[in-house]
Amino acid sequence: MGRIHPEIFFFGAGVAEGRASMRNLLGGKGANLSEMASLKLPVPPGFTISTEVCNYFYDHGHKYPKGLADGVAKSVARVEKALGRKFGDAQNPLLVSVRSGARVSMPGMMDTVLNLGLTDETVQGLEKVSGNPRFAWDSYRRFCQMFGDVVLGLKPEDKNAADPFEEIIDHKKITRGVKQDTDLNVDDLQELVSEFRALIRSRVGCDIPQDPNEQLWMAIGAVFGSWNNDRAIAYRRINNIPGDWGTAVTVQSMVFGNLGDDCATGVAFTRDPGTGEKGIYGEFLPNAQGEDVVAGIRTGRYISIKASRVWAERSGISEAERASNFSTLEESFPAVYKEFLKISNQLERHFRDCQDMEFTIERNRLFMLQTRTGKRTAEAAVRIAVDMADEKLIDRKTALRRVEPEQLEQFLHPRLDPGAKKNVIARGLPASPGAVNGEVVFSADEAVAVAASGRKVILVRVETSPEDIHGMNVAEGILTARGGMTSHAAVVARGMGKCCVAGCSALEIDYGAGTMSANGAVIRRGEYITLDGSAGEVIAGRVATVDPEMPPFFKKFLSWADKERRLGVRANADTPHDARVARDFGAEGIGLCRTEHMFFEPERIEAVREMIMAENAKQRGKALAKILPMQRGDFAGILKEMAGLPVTIRLLDPPLHEFLPREEDEIRDLAIKIGTTPEHLKQVRESLFEFNPMLGHRGSRLGISYPEIYKAQARAILEAACELRKQNVKAMPEIMLPLIGERKEFEILASEIREVAAEVFKEQGVKVAYTIGTMIEVPRACVTADQIGAVAEFFSFGTNDLTQMTYGISRDDSGKFLDDYVRREIYKKDPFQELDPNGVGELMRIGIERGRKANKSLKIGICGEHGGDPASVKLCHRLGLDYVSCSPYRIPVARLAAAQAAIEATQTKKEFKDV
Amino acid sequence: MGRIHPEIFFFGAGVAEGRASMRNLLGGKGANLSEMASLKLPVPPGFTISTEVCNYFYDHGHKYPKGLADGVAKSVARVEKALGRKFGDAQNPLLVSVRSGARVSMPGMMDTVLNLGLTDETVQGLEKVSGNPRFAWDSYRRFCQMFGDVVLGLKPEDKNAADPFEEIIDHKKITRGVKQDTDLNVDDLQELVSEFRALIRSRVGCDIPQDPNEQLWMAIGAVFGSWNNDRAIAYRRINNIPGDWGTAVTVQSMVFGNLGDDCATGVAFTRDPGTGEKGIYGEFLPNAQGEDVVAGIRTGRYISIKASRVWAERSGISEAERASNFSTLEESFPAVYKEFLKISNQLERHFRDCQDMEFTIERNRLFMLQTRTGKRTAEAAVRIAVDMADEKLIDRKTALRRVEPEQLEQFLHPRLDPGAKKNVIARGLPASPGAVNGEVVFSADEAVAVAASGRKVILVRVETSPEDIHGMNVAEGILTARGGMTSHAAVVARGMGKCCVAGCSALEIDYGAGTMSANGAVIRRGEYITLDGSAGEVIAGRVATVDPEMPPFFKKFLSWADKERRLGVRANADTPHDARVARDFGAEGIGLCRTEHMFFEPERIEAVREMIMAENAKQRGKALAKILPMQRGDFAGILKEMAGLPVTIRLLDPPLHEFLPREEDEIRDLAIKIGTTPEHLKQVRESLFEFNPMLGHRGSRLGISYPEIYKAQARAILEAACELRKQNVKAMPEIMLPLIGERKEFEILASEIREVAAEVFKEQGVKVAYTIGTMIEVPRACVTADQIGAVAEFFSFGTNDLTQMTYGISRDDSGKFLDDYVRREIYKKDPFQELDPNGVGELMRIGIERGRKANKSLKIGICGEHGGDPASVKLCHRLGLDYVSCSPYRIPVARLAAAQAAIEATQTKKEFKDV
């Protein structure tokens, strides 16, 4: 049969004028219905009016293209013919649903009308055909309610008012003395219909049309109109969906799963969306409507016997009881079950992905209402991808693209026991994932003391500073009241792979009283709390957690990723422990080993402070000599863990004032120890004060001002490497100078380090290979990369600082406006979370181009927080970096993102993209 | 006669083998001697050994090229022949000087030996020839001393020791009971020669050679050697002179101005180096050596009668006394005077610039010893340039290039009376030029109160903040203990054209006691001090100042500059007064009118604080409504002063916390006024605290967060413009958004402003032309300039902030290391004073290229401090900017620099460059 109208696509009853690939024109729903029809699957017949009509509608003052009315009439006639029912017929009426459908799913944003075609007359026909007056009048009641709301716009009078229809129903239940909607009888429902219509007449000034065609056209207009309602516009703005995509309208014949015991409705996945296990997984309700399943009003039953038995066993239900009270689709509708199984397999093979299907059984006849890609957990996503590749349903590249890199991190951290109860007292930012519980402590020293006695602690601070590192180190998790996703606490916690909830602004902390309170709950020092760092939740008491597992398919999946990726993946790690963890997760070296954390260890900080208070290079050298052996030990430990792999060690970066004590008593203690007065110490502190420490006396500027510091660090690194060399361990240190902005700065420091190296090699009698390179973190380094690149052996983009300086935004202070900027889409993304491709990325591009031009063998990486963000990793691939470096726990994420980037780069044609 | 040796250049006695243009080969001195010889001027004959020999000397282990020894011998013979004297002759000996000479002058850095050729034998000949035994032995004594020091290296034993030769002389004077060197007789001098040589023998282990040729070669070696002495290396490093330029050696016959009353020696300029007045200007000493003039041991006499009479009149000396005791060269040596006048004119015409000449008269015979470009004051520089162009000696372009743009600023500020005594108690940075005196006050309010009673005040603060503006406004000058050349005090003072000494670290200020002290001096509140902002001096008491004058030649000179330049020159001005001053100095509009200063006026700050404390947009709007009429008045005043010229007005930029009070009592007062508690006020202050305010919630971010603020400002600007329009005054406002880093930010704010404009035009019933543009001051704006440029009408580079962010350096904190970076030449220049061409300039280049590509009509300027720095102005020209904007008092500087940039750009061949 030929097409009825160019913008109308018929499906069902042996016809399929559309295809899955026509989602732009038909919307996701319409396209997949056509696709199912083309597979000869039992789809209730209907037709889709294309998105182009939507655009026409808006371009022409809410008018329709020529011939559309006629086309719709003819299409309805074709549906009537296929089903042997007639629209508006008093004996055997055809009812339809009218639904919206955009090319991407916009759940709940636009409108739907069901049971359209019901009138005072046709409801009688439905009564007869179904033999169920209550069903017929309930359907009419629902239709009136939906039509009144969606099409006639009868909404609550203000935001706080109840739904006017529900108010009438509630009133009816009270007068009838019943509790459930289902307790209302046919008379009640008939009265409700009258009362609904009276309300509509009084509020809207018109009645529900008694002509089904009028109903249909009003509903079509309402659906097109809903494309530009406030909710839909807001949703599109947030999700970056262009307004000119438009929505399609699908008009489909209604089928009913609630006409009797030979009817049912259900939803099912082709594989378990929780575990990824192969096999049908879903539930159904006999004699029910689709809404009932979705709304969860009645408890669904399993589709397969197997799943049902697992559930029964876990719930302590006998097989006999199960079989009689909870019989499955397989048991209740064996023939339909077989057919459904076949269809389900067919759909999965056809779409080559796990499907999420809706179906209805009307009088033992199966109808497929929808199929779409099934949403799934991280575990299921990886397992399904691996299994399908092994089953040759998809190739490995496709498998790798099927998993969101972010999801992989869920494998690596403990989670809250899904079955446990929790009393959430406050929410903050999900700064570092995982779930932990412990006793509340309010200072780093307290954390160390309590942890030393073998108890688990959660460190709670208004905000953390480098002084708190030793406490963070021993704590299970960290909770702060201030600071964003890139605050000190968040960054350090992610680096340590420790759970952290940051910026929990509801929290009030009273250090003096030793209490924290939020939303009325007060927690005292020593009491237990639980943190969910993935959800940002602060929970009172001790909630059980479950340990992470790394199933074999996870490793297999990552090994496939490694074969595809070009980018190297290294870790940011400051301790031997972190280095070991990172290597286990697949790190190919360390891209950033920060040395300042080592300075904060309690036994060292004193010498560090002595160094800062030194009045000349000699005194400074003396203090540094105390730290040298300890640093040498640190470096030896890390280099050994990473034997055979490069380890980039950054020399001291933060401004010196960060190392000085702040509290009065600490100042007094230190003054006594180093033989000076507290006043002098405070003077030194003041003299080191900076208005903008981010742009102050830090990084290589310290190395220029106090050459002793960098020389001592270089010595510690190279002595450690020589020691290992003597033990036949291959250490590969890469010495990195922070905050270089000018070639001469680099040259001076590099030549001092080379002098130290020559001395050390002479003293030790062995030589080790080492390189000297620089962070690229000030914009000037990017534009003068040709000059710096000519003398440096490697670059590592420090994109945290580079982002701060490129935007002129201090991340510590950005809380006041950055959220607003992201919410209002002034910035597409928070640039501290995802590398800004246009600004920061462009400076990187310039830096890479110029650096490589000056030095063909220049090795270039990235060691900012962005190194673990999938979109940023992909940008790094496109920019041609050699490697990314990230927190140990982000390494699997980076490995996958790097693989996806490589695959995407070779993909020449656009693929059909599942949503 | 042919050349003796390719690396030896003979001059004098009718021969001139070199030219002035051969300065690279012959050094400045040698080249100019040859040039004078080529002009047939009476130059004592001699020869120059080229700089290439110096390089050969260092490349070949202190050996000389083949044939050089022979060439030197032949050259000496030629000198002997020309003078009829013989080197080493006991009857009529030839004496020579051996001098260094590099291609640029390195005053005092390298060595010179005079009277070479004197030995125990030749000294007898000199006695005879001169008929003056004392002269002969004094010459021998001087030679021994110089040769011992320079050639044999007999230096003081350590830095604190006296010169060993001077010690012997002092001892001799004591034993002889005389005070002056000149009181020593021939016997004494003979003893000194013996004692000198004994000292040399004992300390160096050898004697002064008695063979003149040996003396000559040792001296030549010493001069070449001095190219690499520590002083010379340090000087070259500081002045960026390459080490391979080398020095030449000039060997020249000695002539003597101290053989009797028919002898004299002197120095003279072809024009007055102080005023630029045309006519010979200089002094001479009869019967004296050149050293005596330079050392100022005896008072010189004037060369011309005219100059002498001016001096006599000023000094109260009668014409009779003058003529007898202070007779001039014109009177004492009338024939020589005529010849000298002729030569002086000839040299000036030849070199086409004012000459600084040295001459000696030996027995009534004039010898020219040196000529070079004369150093001069700013006034003289401009006057000489203008006069010479008018005299057609040079063209106007050359005239414009003859003046350092920096010098022009000296015309615009009062200066200390050069004759006044001054007691300098401390030195700081010369932050803003001029000289002022006034009573010391320690707060802005005090300044206002004292100034209101008609007294002059100097505002003394540890550092200033925007809160001090009203005090700075009424003060004569500002003195701060902290802060650099770009500190708040310095920047604001320069903008106001007010004298400022900043960062005077010796200063201790006790606000409580009302005292400032420095180096032992204590100054109390109300006592007078004087500041010299050009020298950075703080002077106790009241020193008289002299007012600036703008002579007619100054205006003429600048009008020439205006014809050459392509760059527009605008002013940074925030008040009608500044706008008027700027227009007088030639500003072609305002490039930066900051609006925040207007917020600090005492009657407004309260409303501003009310606005900050507002809890919603409505309250904020109410507070802003109080400020609006005042701002409208400000803008009307400025726009009116600049009628017909563009005025770029920047909307509010600083973070809001800058406007809140700091002192306890101010906080209390404010709390009462706005009906809140001091605690709440402090909480607001704390909530606004920023770790890095430079990178915080400021600039257009305020406009995004609080749209009311920018809307109110836009309204004030546009209402003012409409008002003026009604008065037939052409206002040309350009509204500038600060700190834009992303196109959407600009679009949102610009569209809000356009809405306001539409409203205002409707209300007022008139329209005015206006544009909306942005500062380009974050690196991201530069790299995304194609996007921002597509929507903005103009760009103005805010190079203060752009430099801070490009380098990652806070200028407020840079004091700790920036000096060191400049001193060690890590940075060639302080990037806050001179635009960094490689980093910041490169980002500007990218920004300009991309901006213009997106928008051909984009107007681009600069409004950072750099707009008044000559090197930066030239870079702006090369980058293709449309205009620069600077402090009113820098406008003449910028006009000249812009002209020079245009001239330099068209100059295709390298010119001979005067030093």
Side-chain angles (χ1 to χ4, degrees), chain A residues 695 745 780 810 821 836, chain B residues 695 745 780 810 821 836 850:
Chain A
L695 308 175
E745 227 174 357
R780 194 173 192 277
S810 152
Y821 265 59
D836 155 42
Chain B
L695 308 175
E745 225 175 358
R780 194 173 192 275
S810 152
Y821 265 58
D836 155 42
R850 295 183 183 184

Side-chain angles (χ1 to χ4, degrees), chain B residues 605-822:
Chain B
I605 186 72
E606 213 173 281
V608 172
R609 288 169 174 172
E610 194 182 317
M611 173 195 86
I612 295 170
M613 299 294 299
E615 281 168 11
N616 54 44
K618 203 174 152 190
Q619 281 182 21
R620 210 156 21 242
K622 214 175 116 194
L624 282 163
K626 297 185 191 168
I627 312 167
L628 177 73
M630 309 186 208
Q631 281 236 326
R632 186 172 53 221
D634 294 331
F635 293 134
I638 293 167
L639 289 165
K640 194 168 182 177
E641 288 294 347
M642 281 286 164
L645 294 174
V647 175
T648 307
I649 300 168
R650 179 178 72 183
L651 302 189
L652 195 68
D653 185 46
L656 295 182
H657 51 76
E658 284 200 9
F659 296 97
L660 288 183
R662 295 172 194 200
E663 309 293 334
E664 281 292 331
D665 49 350
E666 283 184 295
I667 291 173
R668 210 169 37 241
D669 289 356
L670 178 61
I672 293 166
K673 277 180 193 153
I674 63 174
T676 183
T677 62
E679 288 65 36
H680 177 58
L681 227 159
K682 281 185 203 167
Q683 268 170 21
V684 172
R685 258 193 78 94
E686 255 175 59
S687 74
L688 291 174
F689 167 81
E690 295 182 317
F691 294 101
N692 296 287
M694 176 60 48
L695 308 175
H697 196 185
R698 51 174 285 239
S700 287
R701 293 164 197 163
L702 296 174
I704 292 285
S705 300
Y706 311 113
E708 313 77 54
I709 300 181
Y710 278 15
K711 282 187 189 168
Q713 289 199 296
R715 173 168 283 274
I717 294 166
L718 294 163
E719 286 182 358
C722 286
E723 261 174 36
L724 293 174
R725 175 70 210 274
K726 291 176 194 166
Q727 301 165 29
N728 272 323
V729 174
K730 189 176 179 194
M732 298 174 65
E734 303 181 323
I735 298 173
M736 181 156 73
L737 300 170
L739 212 73
I740 290 285
E742 158 61 45
R743 174 190 173 135
K744 283 193 190 158
E745 225 175 358
F746 184 89
E747 285 178 319
I748 290 171
L749 296 172
S751 92
E752 285 172 356
I753 292 167
R754 290 205 184 92
E755 276 170 31
V756 168
E759 278 168 32
V760 170
F761 296 161
K762 204 172 159 193
E763 290 159 16
Q764 301 279 323
V766 293
K767 278 187 182 180
V768 290
Y770 69 99
T771 56
I772 307 177
T774 173
M775 299 271 279
I776 299 288
E777 49 188 338
V778 302
R780 194 173 192 275
C782 294
V783 289
T784 65
D786 46 347
Q787 292 167 32
I788 299 171
V791 290
E793 289 168 281
F794 63 87
F795 279 178
S796 179
F797 283 98
T799 49
N800 295 354
D801 278 9
L802 188 58
T803 300
Q804 298 195 81
M805 293 174 199
T806 302
Y807 274 87
I809 293 181
S810 152
R811 55 181 188 175
D812 288 330
D813 301 311
S814 62
K816 297 186 182 69
F817 54 89
L818 192 55
D819 289 349
D820 219 32
Y821 265 58
V822 175

Side-chain angles (χ1 to χ4, degrees), chain A residues 365-394:
Chain A
R365 192 170 159 204
L366 175 66
F367 289 97
M368 298 300 296
L369 301 185
Q370 175 155 314
T371 189
R372 57 182 170 186
T373 304
K375 296 225 183 301
R376 60 205 83 173
T377 63
E379 190 181 335
V382 177
R383 179 157 179 190
I384 292 171
V386 169
D387 285 353
M388 283 194 167
D390 284 346
E391 292 162 25
K392 309 282 181 206
L393 260 177
I394 55 176

Side-chain angles (χ1 to χ4, degrees), chain B residues 176 302 373 597 619 661 681 700 769 809 898 900:
Chain B
R176 301 282 301 131
Y302 282 92
T373 304
H597 293 167
Q619 281 182 21
L681 227 159
S700 287
I809 293 181
Q900 290 183 348

Side-chain angles (χ1 to χ4, degrees), chain A residues 471-515:
Chain A
M472 297 172 78
N473 216 11
V474 299
E476 301 298 310
I478 295 117
L479 169 62
T480 67
R482 283 202 213 142
M485 289 296 285
T486 51
S487 61
H488 178 266
V491 172
V492 173
R494 281 198 294 275
M496 293 177 168
K498 244 178 233 295
C499 173
C500 174
V501 174
C504 181
S505 52
L507 212 62
E508 276 178 37
I509 298 173
D510 185 338
Y511 288 133
T515 58

Side-chain angles (χ1 to χ4, degrees), chain B residues 401 902-911:
Chain B
R401 296 188 62 196
I903 294 166
E904 282 162 19
T906 57
Q907 219 99 26
T908 47
K909 50 181 181 179
K910 276 190 191 164
E911 282 197 335

